[in-house]
Amino acid sequence: MFTTRPTLQGTFGMVSSTHWLASQSAMAVLEGGGNAYDAAVAGAFVLHVVEPHLNGPAGEVPILLAPAGGEVRVLCGQGVAPGGATVAHYRGLGLDLVPGTGPLAAAVPGAFDAWMLLLRDHGTKSLAEVLGYAIGYAEHGHAPVENVGATVETVRELFETEWTSSAQVYLPGGKAPRPGALLRNPALAATWTRLLAEVAGAGDREAQIEAAREVWRTGFIAEALVRQARRPTMDTSGERHTGTLTAADLAGWSATYEAPATYDWNGWTVCKAGPWSQGPVLLQQLALLPPELPRYGSAEYVHLLIEGCKLAMADREAWYGDAAEVPLGELLSEEYNAARRGLVDDKASYELRPGNPGGRTPRLPTVAQHAPSPLPGAGEPTVAKYPTSPVPGEPGVAADGRTRGDTCHLDVVDRWGNMVAATPSGGWLQSNPVVPELGFPLGTRLQMTWLEEGLPNTLTPGRRPRTTLTPSIALRDGVPVMAFGTPGGDQQDQWQLHFFLAVALRSPVRGGLDLQGAIDAPNWHNDSFPGSFYPRGMRPGSVTVEARTDAGVVEELRRRGHDVTVGDPWSEGRLCAVARDPETGILSAAANPRGMQGYAVGR
């Protein structure tokens, strides 16, 4: 089978990420004797520098790790709502939704602490060693991908008139970043350099990492983050607001470990973060599959997956969240899903149909019943509203100035068999103004909560917003075999399901899993449920497919009642994956060719 690139194979180490500089930096750590966790931390901090429109240090990250010979664990780097982030406070400001940008949307930053815990507990390298790559690219510059400059142009007017600290970093001399010219972030380099200087005398490797965590939570970084949260900031409401983040919020939160949610399917076990994330949606989609599947890639096959996704996403809306007990056992049970499976017929559903796990009555947010339609193929809207559209006609920019951001992903497997999958996101350059003393902005994950009491995902102090971030680790006969994931907001577990089934159902190549072929295969998504990002739109009955999809499949989907949008040939799915054959020890990796930015490396 022809693929855009080979599925890499080797025995020393493999990395796949959404940017080649992060992949190669992580690989350099492996070459220097580090393990998968050292490499992942180094690659993650490089992603903050080279994909600033997709993630940042004050964002969030769920991490799945599979230590060689150990149990799969989830490391939760999703911060909680601050103590002052109550429904009453936001409603008192005249808001019906949490703004998509600005400090009101900022949860307690979670990414940095999660990476520090991973390095402390599972890594071998020093903090200085893993931060060196990011410091180098921030201080001396890197050649940015085209989308960095394109994103900055969509918010040029906002940066120049409102978010002026962001203009200092991303519009130096009035010029947006462009390919072929170096982009520097000296403030970010100075932040990490100062951090290393402050912790240098703390003691051994672990003591220095612990000291860095304290600097983030209570030191100069925390002080700057709180100052920024208190600055009135223009957001998507069209008004200037201050945030609720306090020093006590930062000092009182820590990343945590927990057991994964799992589902067994045809000899595979898929591991995900719990229902504070979107992760169990993938597990539910597997549980909804019938014992015998239609031919891979056929219209009947695509229809079945789309309709199953609608049911799982309806359950996500009714039941998932950190503000309530989630009946996950029932939601993944055979009895429950056999009944749900019976709702799928040969016609496209236009209804949001949550189920009744354990006889419970579902409750949907009011907005879900009259949500506006998002842009076709939309991802994560992350740019503040402004009186006039910053750049009318720019790709992905709506009439009110919204644009669509995204996320990153990183997978690593080393020669010892350690495996990690992580999906860093949030803290985008277009989420909040750059904190001038630090070189990066606050995040906006609270926009995923509801300002309506009594829902599983109601905005609640001390509780995590239900995130869309959803890395995966798959086991075969109980042994970790594959780590994978993708950017894409609500699309992540749609694209990942298709990828996973392509790996599981299609013939292997060169004695291993056909990772690249599964990534390259034409993909799709639907928006038949409330979007997780402001303004929470939905398009019932919609399906967006790549133009490479067989015309007969598209015709049959339309005949079945699907509202099909045919997108660009390479526009759906941005997966990364690494794998390990437990019998031979052979490692493999592949990366998404869409956007010409993701790369796998290894040997």
Side-chain angles (χ1 to χ4, degrees), residues 379-417:
E380 303 180 353
T382 57
V383 174
K385 183 177 181 180
Y386 200 70
T388 58
S389 179
V391 184
E394 279 284 332
V397 179
D400 66 356
R402 294 194 312 273
T403 191
R404 308 287 164 168
D406 216 316
T407 296
C408 309
H409 190 78
L410 174 71
D411 299 311
V412 188
V413 60
D414 62 28
R415 62 189 184 274
W416 301 286

Short mmCIF file of all heavy atoms in Angstrom, two decimals, residues 379-417:
data_model
loop_
_atom_site.label_atom_id
_atom_site.label_comp_id
_atom_site.label_asym_id
_atom_site.label_seq_id
_atom_site.Cartn_x
_atom_site.Cartn_y
_atom_site.Cartn_z
N GLY A 379 -12.41 23.64 14.76
CA GLY A 379 -11.70 23.02 15.87
C GLY A 379 -11.98 23.79 17.13
O GLY A 379 -13.09 23.82 17.62
N GLU A 380 -10.97 24.46 17.65
CA GLU A 380 -11.10 25.15 18.91
C GLU A 380 -11.08 26.66 18.69
O GLU A 380 -10.07 27.21 18.27
CB GLU A 380 -9.96 24.76 19.84
CG GLU A 380 -9.90 23.25 20.07
CD GLU A 380 -8.77 22.86 20.98
OE1 GLU A 380 -7.95 23.72 21.32
OE2 GLU A 380 -8.70 21.68 21.35
N PRO A 381 -12.20 27.38 18.92
CA PRO A 381 -12.18 28.83 18.77
C PRO A 381 -11.43 29.47 19.92
O PRO A 381 -11.81 29.30 21.07
CB PRO A 381 -13.65 29.23 18.76
CG PRO A 381 -14.40 28.06 19.29
CD PRO A 381 -13.50 26.87 19.29
N THR A 382 -10.38 30.20 19.62
CA THR A 382 -9.51 30.66 20.69
C THR A 382 -9.14 32.13 20.62
O THR A 382 -8.29 32.58 21.35
CB THR A 382 -8.21 29.85 20.68
OG1 THR A 382 -7.60 29.98 19.41
CG2 THR A 382 -8.46 28.39 20.96
N VAL A 383 -9.74 32.90 19.75
CA VAL A 383 -9.34 34.30 19.60
C VAL A 383 -10.45 35.22 20.07
O VAL A 383 -11.62 34.99 19.82
CB VAL A 383 -8.98 34.60 18.12
CG1 VAL A 383 -8.72 36.07 17.92
CG2 VAL A 383 -7.75 33.81 17.74
N ALA A 384 -10.07 36.27 20.77
CA ALA A 384 -11.05 37.18 21.36
C ALA A 384 -11.87 37.90 20.30
O ALA A 384 -11.40 38.22 19.23
CB ALA A 384 -10.34 38.21 22.23
N LYS A 385 -13.12 38.17 20.66
CA LYS A 385 -13.98 38.98 19.82
C LYS A 385 -13.47 40.41 19.82
O LYS A 385 -12.97 40.92 20.81
CB LYS A 385 -15.40 38.93 20.39
CG LYS A 385 -16.44 39.68 19.57
CD LYS A 385 -17.79 39.49 20.22
CE LYS A 385 -18.87 40.20 19.43
NZ LYS A 385 -20.19 40.03 20.06
N TYR A 386 -13.59 41.06 18.68
CA TYR A 386 -13.18 42.45 18.59
C TYR A 386 -14.21 43.20 17.76
O TYR A 386 -14.92 42.59 16.95
CB TYR A 386 -11.78 42.56 17.96
CG TYR A 386 -11.12 43.87 18.28
CD1 TYR A 386 -10.69 44.15 19.57
CD2 TYR A 386 -10.96 44.84 17.30
CE1 TYR A 386 -10.11 45.36 19.87
CE2 TYR A 386 -10.39 46.06 17.60
CZ TYR A 386 -9.96 46.31 18.89
OH TYR A 386 -9.41 47.51 19.20
N PRO A 387 -14.38 44.51 17.94
CA PRO A 387 -15.45 45.23 17.24
C PRO A 387 -15.45 45.01 15.73
O PRO A 387 -16.50 45.03 15.11
CB PRO A 387 -15.17 46.70 17.59
CG PRO A 387 -14.52 46.62 18.94
CD PRO A 387 -13.69 45.38 18.91
N THR A 388 -14.29 44.87 15.12
CA THR A 388 -14.25 44.55 13.71
C THR A 388 -13.38 43.32 13.52
O THR A 388 -12.45 43.08 14.27
CB THR A 388 -13.64 45.72 12.88
OG1 THR A 388 -12.33 46.00 13.37
CG2 THR A 388 -14.49 46.96 13.00
N SER A 389 -13.69 42.56 12.50
CA SER A 389 -12.91 41.36 12.23
C SER A 389 -11.46 41.74 11.95
O SER A 389 -11.20 42.61 11.12
CB SER A 389 -13.49 40.62 11.02
OG SER A 389 -12.75 39.48 10.74
N PRO A 390 -10.50 41.14 12.65
CA PRO A 390 -9.10 41.54 12.47
C PRO A 390 -8.63 41.40 11.03
O PRO A 390 -8.03 42.30 10.48
CB PRO A 390 -8.34 40.59 13.39
CG PRO A 390 -9.34 40.13 14.39
CD PRO A 390 -10.64 40.11 13.68
N VAL A 391 -8.90 40.28 10.42
CA VAL A 391 -8.49 40.07 9.03
C VAL A 391 -9.63 39.37 8.30
O VAL A 391 -9.68 38.16 8.23
CB VAL A 391 -7.20 39.20 8.95
CG1 VAL A 391 -6.73 39.09 7.51
CG2 VAL A 391 -6.10 39.80 9.82
N PRO A 392 -10.58 40.13 7.75
CA PRO A 392 -11.70 39.50 7.06
C PRO A 392 -11.20 38.60 5.94
O PRO A 392 -10.29 38.94 5.20
CB PRO A 392 -12.49 40.69 6.51
CG PRO A 392 -12.11 41.84 7.39
CD PRO A 392 -10.68 41.59 7.75
N GLY A 393 -11.81 37.42 5.86
CA GLY A 393 -11.45 36.51 4.78
C GLY A 393 -10.31 35.58 5.08
O GLY A 393 -10.02 34.70 4.29
N GLU A 394 -9.63 35.73 6.23
CA GLU A 394 -8.58 34.79 6.57
C GLU A 394 -9.17 33.40 6.77
O GLU A 394 -10.28 33.26 7.27
CB GLU A 394 -7.87 35.23 7.87
CG GLU A 394 -6.83 36.30 7.66
CD GLU A 394 -5.55 35.75 7.07
OE1 GLU A 394 -5.25 34.57 7.28
OE2 GLU A 394 -4.87 36.52 6.38
N PRO A 395 -8.44 32.34 6.41
CA PRO A 395 -8.96 30.99 6.63
C PRO A 395 -9.28 30.74 8.09
O PRO A 395 -8.49 31.04 8.97
CB PRO A 395 -7.78 30.10 6.18
CG PRO A 395 -6.98 30.96 5.26
CD PRO A 395 -7.13 32.35 5.77
N GLY A 396 -10.47 30.23 8.32
CA GLY A 396 -10.85 29.88 9.69
C GLY A 396 -11.28 31.05 10.55
O GLY A 396 -11.42 30.90 11.75
N VAL A 397 -11.49 32.22 9.96
CA VAL A 397 -11.88 33.38 10.76
C VAL A 397 -13.33 33.74 10.44
O VAL A 397 -13.70 33.94 9.30
CB VAL A 397 -10.98 34.60 10.46
CG1 VAL A 397 -11.43 35.80 11.27
CG2 VAL A 397 -9.54 34.25 10.78
N ALA A 398 -14.16 33.81 11.47
CA ALA A 398 -15.56 34.13 11.30
C ALA A 398 -15.74 35.64 11.22
O ALA A 398 -14.81 36.41 11.45
CB ALA A 398 -16.38 33.57 12.46
N ALA A 399 -16.97 36.05 10.91
CA ALA A 399 -17.24 37.48 10.74
C ALA A 399 -17.00 38.27 12.01
O ALA A 399 -16.74 39.47 11.96
CB ALA A 399 -18.68 37.66 10.26
N ASP A 400 -17.10 37.62 13.18
CA ASP A 400 -16.90 38.37 14.42
C ASP A 400 -15.45 38.30 14.91
O ASP A 400 -15.15 38.71 16.02
CB ASP A 400 -17.85 37.86 15.51
CG ASP A 400 -17.55 36.43 15.94
OD1 ASP A 400 -16.65 35.82 15.33
OD2 ASP A 400 -18.20 35.96 16.88
N GLY A 401 -14.57 37.77 14.09
CA GLY A 401 -13.16 37.74 14.46
C GLY A 401 -12.71 36.47 15.14
O GLY A 401 -11.57 36.34 15.52
N ARG A 402 -13.63 35.49 15.32
CA ARG A 402 -13.19 34.23 15.92
C ARG A 402 -12.30 33.47 14.95
O ARG A 402 -12.51 33.50 13.74
CB ARG A 402 -14.38 33.34 16.28
CG ARG A 402 -15.26 33.88 17.37
CD ARG A 402 -16.20 32.81 17.89
NE ARG A 402 -16.88 32.08 16.84
CZ ARG A 402 -18.03 32.46 16.29
NH1 ARG A 402 -18.59 33.59 16.67
NH2 ARG A 402 -18.60 31.72 15.37
N THR A 403 -11.34 32.80 15.45
CA THR A 403 -10.55 31.88 14.64
C THR A 403 -10.46 30.56 15.37
O THR A 403 -10.91 30.44 16.50
CB THR A 403 -9.15 32.44 14.34
OG1 THR A 403 -8.54 31.63 13.34
CG2 THR A 403 -8.27 32.45 15.57
N ARG A 404 -9.88 29.57 14.74
CA ARG A 404 -9.88 28.24 15.30
C ARG A 404 -8.45 27.82 15.62
O ARG A 404 -7.60 27.77 14.76
CB ARG A 404 -10.49 27.26 14.30
CG ARG A 404 -11.87 27.74 13.80
CD ARG A 404 -12.95 27.58 14.86
NE ARG A 404 -14.14 28.37 14.50
CZ ARG A 404 -15.30 28.26 15.11
NH1 ARG A 404 -15.45 27.44 16.11
NH2 ARG A 404 -16.31 29.00 14.74
N GLY A 405 -8.22 27.53 16.86
CA GLY A 405 -6.93 27.06 17.29
C GLY A 405 -6.88 25.55 17.27
O GLY A 405 -7.70 24.90 16.66
N ASP A 406 -5.93 25.00 17.98
CA ASP A 406 -5.83 23.56 18.01
C ASP A 406 -4.94 23.15 19.16
O ASP A 406 -4.85 23.86 20.16
CB ASP A 406 -5.30 23.03 16.67
CG ASP A 406 -5.95 21.71 16.30
OD1 ASP A 406 -6.08 20.85 17.18
OD2 ASP A 406 -6.30 21.53 15.13
N THR A 407 -4.25 22.06 19.03
CA THR A 407 -3.59 21.40 20.14
C THR A 407 -2.33 20.73 19.60
O THR A 407 -2.06 20.78 18.41
CB THR A 407 -4.59 20.39 20.77
OG1 THR A 407 -5.68 21.12 21.31
CG2 THR A 407 -4.00 19.55 21.86
N CYS A 408 -1.57 20.08 20.46
CA CYS A 408 -0.37 19.35 20.07
C CYS A 408 -0.50 17.90 20.53
O CYS A 408 -1.38 17.57 21.31
CB CYS A 408 0.88 19.95 20.72
SG CYS A 408 1.06 21.72 20.50
N HIS A 409 0.40 17.08 20.07
CA HIS A 409 0.48 15.72 20.59
C HIS A 409 1.92 15.22 20.50
O HIS A 409 2.69 15.66 19.65
CB HIS A 409 -0.44 14.77 19.84
CG HIS A 409 -0.54 13.43 20.52
ND1 HIS A 409 -1.32 13.23 21.63
CD2 HIS A 409 0.10 12.25 20.28
CE1 HIS A 409 -1.18 11.99 22.05
NE2 HIS A 409 -0.32 11.37 21.25
N LEU A 410 2.24 14.29 21.42
CA LEU A 410 3.60 13.77 21.54
C LEU A 410 3.54 12.33 22.04
O LEU A 410 2.89 12.05 23.06
CB LEU A 410 4.39 14.64 22.52
CG LEU A 410 5.79 14.22 22.93
CD1 LEU A 410 6.76 14.41 21.76
CD2 LEU A 410 6.25 15.03 24.13
N ASP A 411 4.21 11.41 21.34
CA ASP A 411 4.33 10.01 21.76
C ASP A 411 5.80 9.62 21.75
O ASP A 411 6.54 10.00 20.83
CB ASP A 411 3.58 9.07 20.81
CG ASP A 411 2.10 9.36 20.73
OD1 ASP A 411 1.47 9.47 21.80
OD2 ASP A 411 1.58 9.46 19.60
N VAL A 412 6.22 8.83 22.73
CA VAL A 412 7.60 8.34 22.80
C VAL A 412 7.59 6.90 23.29
O VAL A 412 6.82 6.54 24.20
CB VAL A 412 8.48 9.19 23.77
CG1 VAL A 412 9.94 8.77 23.65
CG2 VAL A 412 8.33 10.68 23.49
N VAL A 413 8.46 6.06 22.71
CA VAL A 413 8.75 4.73 23.25
C VAL A 413 10.27 4.56 23.20
O VAL A 413 10.91 4.96 22.23
CB VAL A 413 8.03 3.62 22.46
CG1 VAL A 413 8.44 3.58 20.99
CG2 VAL A 413 8.26 2.26 23.11
N ASP A 414 10.84 4.01 24.27
CA ASP A 414 12.30 3.86 24.31
C ASP A 414 12.71 2.39 24.23
O ASP A 414 11.87 1.49 24.17
CB ASP A 414 12.89 4.54 25.56
CG ASP A 414 12.41 3.95 26.87
OD1 ASP A 414 12.07 2.75 26.92
OD2 ASP A 414 12.37 4.69 27.88
N ARG A 415 14.01 2.15 24.22
CA ARG A 415 14.53 0.81 24.01
C ARG A 415 14.24 -0.13 25.18
O ARG A 415 14.34 -1.35 25.04
CB ARG A 415 16.03 0.86 23.74
CG ARG A 415 16.90 1.42 24.87
CD ARG A 415 18.32 1.61 24.34
NE ARG A 415 19.29 2.05 25.32
CZ ARG A 415 19.52 3.31 25.64
NH1 ARG A 415 18.78 4.26 25.07
NH2 ARG A 415 20.46 3.63 26.51
N TRP A 416 13.88 0.42 26.33
CA TRP A 416 13.53 -0.40 27.48
C TRP A 416 12.05 -0.78 27.50
O TRP A 416 11.62 -1.55 28.33
CB TRP A 416 13.89 0.33 28.77
CG TRP A 416 15.35 0.65 28.85
CD1 TRP A 416 16.37 -0.23 29.08
CD2 TRP A 416 15.95 1.93 28.66
NE1 TRP A 416 17.58 0.43 29.07
CE2 TRP A 416 17.35 1.77 28.81
CE3 TRP A 416 15.46 3.21 28.39
CZ2 TRP A 416 18.25 2.83 28.69
CZ3 TRP A 416 16.34 4.27 28.26
CH2 TRP A 416 17.73 4.07 28.41
N GLY A 417 11.28 -0.17 26.60
CA GLY A 417 9.85 -0.46 26.54
C GLY A 417 8.98 0.52 27.27
O GLY A 417 7.76 0.33 27.35
#
